[in-house]
Amino acid sequence: MYAYFSFLACFFFLFSFSPISSTKDGFIKNNVEFARSQEQLQVASIEKSDKILNPRTVSEGKVKYISPEDWTSGFYPGTMWYMYELTGDSTWRTRARKYTQAIDTVKYLTWHHDVGFMIQCSFGNGYRLGEKAYKDVIVQAAKSLSTRFRPVAGIIQSWNVDKGWQSQRGWECPVIIDNMMNLELLFNATKLSGDSTFYKIAVSHADQTIKNHYRPDYSCYHVVDYSLKDGSVRNRHTAQGYAHESSWARGQAWGIYGFTVCYRETHNPKYLEQAQKAFNFVIHNKNFPADFVPYWDFDAPKIPNEPRDASAAAVMASALYELSTYSDKEFYKGWADKIMSSLAGPDYRARLGENGNFLLMHSVGSIPHGAEIDVPLNYTDYYFLEALARKKQLEN
Ligand code: GLY
């Protein structure tokens, strides 16, 4: 049965491959030029304020700026680093440094797990592109993240449960699939410091996630709540998906990306297999749309009349370019190209000067919370540019 579906998927893939996304016909150049112009407008509008602002989305027609403690604060600085990498223009590097430095205090943040996203996307990219002085920030941030490791359950606790909406769910130690994205910071910190504690925490978290977050069909739960007494699983819930037993699209994408990183850092084939199988769930799902940009939840009740989530597509595309360097190059790169072609087409890519000067339209933050529905999001743009940079590197 599985072989039959794989055959169908390959057949569909081969015959629907769109040549639009190859470098030769200017796909990368066109998108980099667009990003340069659009991001230039974003920077110009921020700089008019004489402040260092951090744009997240558009709300009621206005760009919404966030504080360094917001989970998305690393994406705009990270976008600047990718603009530098994609254009080679040192103006972007100067900006990247400035917007990165502005979130320096995040290295001490211990009240939620997203310090991995925040520091890796900003300082982590800066370090990768030559800012070796960022090492101490990365290691300090990994120490902060490690304070959330709960040895009894072998995981990093995602959210605190003492206030806000999380306190109303009856959870003890909630871990969300998104947390797989924070592990890259820990792997990096071990390489930079020589302290293997961070690496061991990352591996333990990844192993528990395989064991407890995934269903037999390789879709994943959003939230797994652990007991702090004995480490057992208390609940498997959702927070941002449609239902506890549904498959929230961005969660599925976070898992694919996170396990690809784990394979890169450990060479353990079980992580590669996890990423591959989680992606197989996506392409074999009856609700995966023809333009490869998922609905916000694979089980949303009114599909096809449900919002798409371009962020899930962008995260997947970026992960798939990396996955293509580890196995089945044509297959995974082909899928990433197809997703990128859609995202860069008129249905998703904004027009210059519109969309709050964000690059892509049609993402979803959290429908159950009534927040950020069918809007631009800074992380959609970040992963779109990361995917573009990875595509460029693969094709050169
Ligand atoms: N990490 C939060 C989200 O994906 O919405």
Side-chain angles (χ1 to χ4, degrees), residues 56 71-72 75 113-114 117 159 176 178-179 222 240 248 250-251 254 311 364-366 372 377 379:
R56 165 167 169 153
W71 82 271
T72 67
F75 295 119
H113 69 150
D114 291 311
F117 271 111
W159 292 327
I176 59 175
D178 324 28
N179 210 335
H222 184 200
Q240 285 163 253
W248 175 51
R250 193 162 58 252
W254 291 143
S311 78
V364 162
S366 180
E372 302 178 327
L377 289 169
Y379 43 102

Side-chain angles (χ1 to χ4, degrees), residues 16 45 115 192 238 250 267 286 312 325 339 348:
S16 63
S45 132
V115 66
L192 294 178
T238 198
R250 193 162 58 252
H267 305 294
K286 66 179 183 356
T325 66
I339 296 170
Y348 296 96

Side-chain angles (χ1 to χ4, degrees), residues 149-185:
F149 184 61
R150 308 289 176 248
V152 65
I155 49 75
I156 299 161
Q157 180 168 348
S158 295
W159 292 327
N160 290 353
V161 291
D162 57 343
K163 57 178 189 285
W165 64 268
Q166 286 97 337
S167 67
Q168 291 157 20
R169 298 290 301 261
W171 295 327
E172 204 168 296
C173 175
V175 176
I176 59 175
I177 187 67
D178 324 28
N179 210 335
M180 285 301 301
M181 299 296 286
N182 293 314
L183 306 186
E184 190 171 8
L185 174 80

